[in-house]
Amino acid sequence: MKRIITIFIVAIAIAGCTKKKETTVNNSPKENLRALWEILDERYCYFEERGIDWEGVYYESAPKLRNIQSVYGLFNVMKEMLDTLNDGHVNLYSPFDVSSCSGWYEDYPRDYSSDIIFSDDYIGDNYKRINGIYYGIIQRNIGYIYVSTFSNTFSSTTFKYIDYYFRKTKGLIIDVRDNGGGSLEEAERLAACFHNEKILVGYIRHKTGKGHSDFSEPEAMYVDPADSLINWTQRPTVVLTNRRSYSATNTFVMKMQNAPNVTIIGGRTGGGGGMPLSQELPIGWMIRFSAVPMYDCDMKTIEFGIDPDEEIHITDEDYVNRRDAIIDRAIEILDKKTK
């Protein structure tokens, strides 16, 4: 164990050599694992929804420290403990690796292929791109926008150009499949484009104590068209989703549910309804975790995803035939709405 502690001291020196203040915390493997467990025990927000016996998880994880030989071993023990949460917002950051959980989407259809979307059957080479947005005109004179991320800042000027480019189209497809999220503010600004009045879209709560059920009263969340980038309330619109529509994208879909002229199709979104926070461990690594839960208008958690208005999947036969069944269905819906 002395050898392991020496390795940890070296790791801390490397990770935090620019820090002037000294730490008085015991930086042994056991103390770091316990610190990680306690941070989540006090601040993680989905233990009850997930039915996790967090104390039991600790007592299953702690004996594994006996066999570790380095910081890599500690990282793996911590990662295995965190994986029991099956939460895409839970990540452990070290100087040599980042942990992530993929269990929340692995058992679901992919429902997306960029090769098909950017083929001549759909958008082809006839598209423009800016800040993670790809847009062009596809079959039946329909405007198609693929929003790959909400991590970039959207400009109202950009959307005015997009609006002009689509001026003769009869409807819009907003594709947020495989969009892993980003800024909640940018997701809200885009959702606001499709609302003609300020409306309630959900609720948010905050931790008020260390207990797993210690939360504030629900605080209302609204979509306000005053925050919008452009007014698209009169455009018939179909939103495309899949299981990898996650985090801020999940919230975007929640805020589009009651928008006029909007239909949501595809697969259930991935969830990620808890806003994440981060905290440092004694060793200098960072733990990111869901801390602030969000709910829909009926106070149902959105952590596990949002069902579309119409569930559509891409089959193996579709992939072979180079067809995107979700886009094809969106075109059919817009055709009927614009007859």
Side-chain angles (χ1 to χ4, degrees):
M1 181 60 76
K2 288 182 179 179
R3 177 173 175 268
I4 295 174
I5 293 175
T6 300
I7 294 173
F8 273 77
I9 293 172
V10 172
I12 294 165
I14 294 172
C17 61
T18 59
K19 295 182 180 180
K20 293 183 179 180
K21 65 178 183 179
E22 296 182 358
T23 178
T24 58
V25 180
N26 182 349
N27 287 314
S28 69
K30 181 179 178 180
E31 288 298 324
N32 275 277
L33 184 69
R34 186 68 187 183
L36 175 64
W37 182 88
E38 287 180 352
I39 289 170
L40 271 75
D41 185 57
E42 296 175 4
R43 305 189 67 188
Y44 182 72
C45 65
Y46 285 126
F47 285 121
E48 293 186 347
E49 286 85 350
R50 294 184 179 278
I52 301 292
D53 175 11
W54 191 232
E55 186 172 1
V57 170
Y58 176 77
Y59 287 111
E60 288 182 4
S61 301
K64 298 177 183 178
L65 295 176
R66 298 170 188 158
N67 301 319
I68 68 170
Q69 300 297 319
S70 68
V71 288
Y72 304 106
L74 175 63
F75 185 92
N76 290 336
V77 171
M78 289 181 166
K79 179 185 183 306
E80 288 178 10
M81 184 170 77
L82 297 175
D83 282 350
T84 63
L85 298 173
N86 197 27
D87 186 334
H89 272 153
V90 175
N91 307 100
L92 179 64
Y93 295 86
S94 76
F96 54 84
D97 200 2
V98 177
S99 77
S100 62
C101 177
S102 58
W104 51 273
Y105 65 77
E106 284 181 334
D107 294 332
Y108 289 79
R110 182 62 186 268
D111 288 331
Y112 177 79
S113 169
S114 59
D115 288 343
I116 295 176
I117 289 173
F118 290 97
S119 70
D120 291 338
D121 290 327
Y122 294 97
I123 198 171
D125 294 328
N126 186 29
Y127 67 88
K128 304 182 185 305
R129 61 180 180 177
I130 182 74
N131 286 344
I133 294 174
Y134 300 77
Y135 66 99
I137 298 173
I138 61 173
Q139 305 168 30
R140 313 279 218 288
N141 196 30
I142 290 170
Y144 172 85
I145 302 175
Y146 178 61
V147 184
S148 65
T149 179
F150 285 111
S151 295
N152 299 325
T153 300
F154 297 151
S155 161
S156 58
T157 300
T158 294
F159 274 80
K160 288 176 182 177
Y161 278 109
I162 296 174
D163 185 56
Y164 179 78
Y165 189 76
F166 288 156
R167 66 193 182 281
K168 295 182 180 180
T169 58
K170 62 182 181 181
L172 292 179
I173 293 174
I174 308 294
D175 193 344
V176 292
R177 292 176 295 175
D178 273 34
N179 182 332
S183 166
L184 284 173
E185 182 180 356
E186 297 306 314
E188 181 171 334
R189 292 175 72 208
L190 181 57
C193 300
F194 300 91
H195 289 271
N196 51 26
E197 61 181 346
K198 183 177 180 179
I199 66 165
L200 175 72
V201 292
Y203 297 91
I204 191 169
R205 301 172 77 188
H206 301 271
K207 285 300 296 284
T208 57
K210 297 181 179 181
H212 291 182
S213 59
D214 293 343
F215 291 99
S216 66
E217 290 299 315
E219 178 183 333
M221 296 189 298
Y222 297 88
V223 166
D224 191 341
D227 299 326
S228 68
L229 298 155
I230 199 82
N231 185 346
W232 278 342
T233 58
Q234 301 304 311
R235 286 183 175 273
T237 302
V238 179
V239 176
L240 314 186
T241 62
N242 69 352
R243 188 62 181 171
R244 300 191 190 201
S245 302
Y246 190 72
S247 191
T249 309
N250 188 67
T251 306
F252 167 76
V253 174
M254 179 190 74
K255 294 180 178 182
M256 292 290 281
Q257 285 181 306
N258 297 318
N261 288 323
V262 171
T263 304
I264 301 169
I265 70 171
R268 182 179 179 85
T269 62
M275 293 197 314
L277 295 177
S278 297
Q279 191 165 332
E280 188 174 6
L281 298 175
I283 196 173
W285 302 349
M286 297 297 294
I287 175 63
R288 179 176 180 254
F289 54 91
S290 300
V292 183
M294 287 185 281
Y295 309 83
D296 65 14
C297 291
D298 299 319
M299 275 302 294
K300 294 179 180 178
T301 182
I302 62 170
E303 169 62 10
F304 303 111
I306 298 168
D307 289 323
D309 297 320
E310 185 176 333
E311 186 173 350
I312 304 288
H313 297 291
I314 302 176
T315 66
D316 291 341
E317 184 178 357
D318 291 327
Y319 286 117
V320 170
N321 294 326
R322 309 286 293 171
R323 301 305 305 174
D324 187 316
I326 301 175
I327 292 181
D328 290 345
R329 178 55 183 153
I331 292 171
E332 292 176 0
I333 291 171
L334 292 172
D335 275 347
K336 291 179 181 178
K337 285 187 174 184
T338 55
K339 278 187 178 178

